[in-house]
Amino acid sequence: MKPPEQDVLDRATRALDAGRLEQAQALCEQALARSRRNPHALYLMGCTLYALHERAEAIACLERCVRLDPKNITAHLRLGEVLTADGQYGPALSRFEKAQKLDPTSITALCGKAEVFDRRNQHEKAGRLLQPLVRAGHLNAPTARLFGRYLWKTGR
């Protein structure tokens, strides 16, 4: 039998996935009222708040999550994404590097770093990260967009 807060978090996940953000937020609040130090609840709340365009609150939740669960690569990646969107490139890069240390094969971490370099107008650095992915055939939409920007910005 699942603990009651797991059922609440499962419902919050489904609500978030379905775009029912207010419901997801209410369910996360319910789970956090039971356990303020639940990394999964903090992660879901951070994702929900980010979807609601409440970046500062999302960052705070995700930072608490990674402090409580420092090996949670998904939380590091999401925190890096939110920090990037918020223009906090140094901290974002640190999160992507932490995620890459946890999983050296993480394409998401590599692309996150390339995104930070791209936004800092360090297109050569972004390109050096992306070229091996492109050569290996890992060309998904975000990678293609970043690689295209690298080629365009560097005149290639």
Side-chain angles (χ1 to χ4, degrees), residues 46-82:
C47 292
T48 301
L49 291 168
Y50 180 49
L52 288 166
H53 308 288
E54 297 179 24
R55 288 185 189 152
E57 295 85 355
I59 290 167
C61 283
L62 292 166
E63 285 176 340
R64 284 184 59 212
C65 176
V66 297
R67 275 195 304 275
L68 292 168
D69 188 6
K71 293 187 179 184
N72 185 336
I73 186 172
T74 305
H76 285 285
L77 291 168
R78 181 54 58 103
L79 180 53
E81 176 186 344
V82 177

Side-chain angles (χ1 to χ4, degrees), residues 79-89 92-93 96 112 115-116 119:
L79 180 53
E81 176 186 344
V82 177
L83 289 164
T84 301
D86 200 48
Q88 298 184 45
Y89 303 134
L93 192 57
F96 292 127
E115 178 76 28
V116 169
R119 288 185 183 214

Side-chain angles (χ1 to χ4, degrees), residues 101-115:
K101 284 180 186 170
L102 292 169
D103 178 6
T105 66
S106 174
I107 293 172
T108 306
L110 197 69
C111 287
K113 288 170 61 174
E115 178 76 28

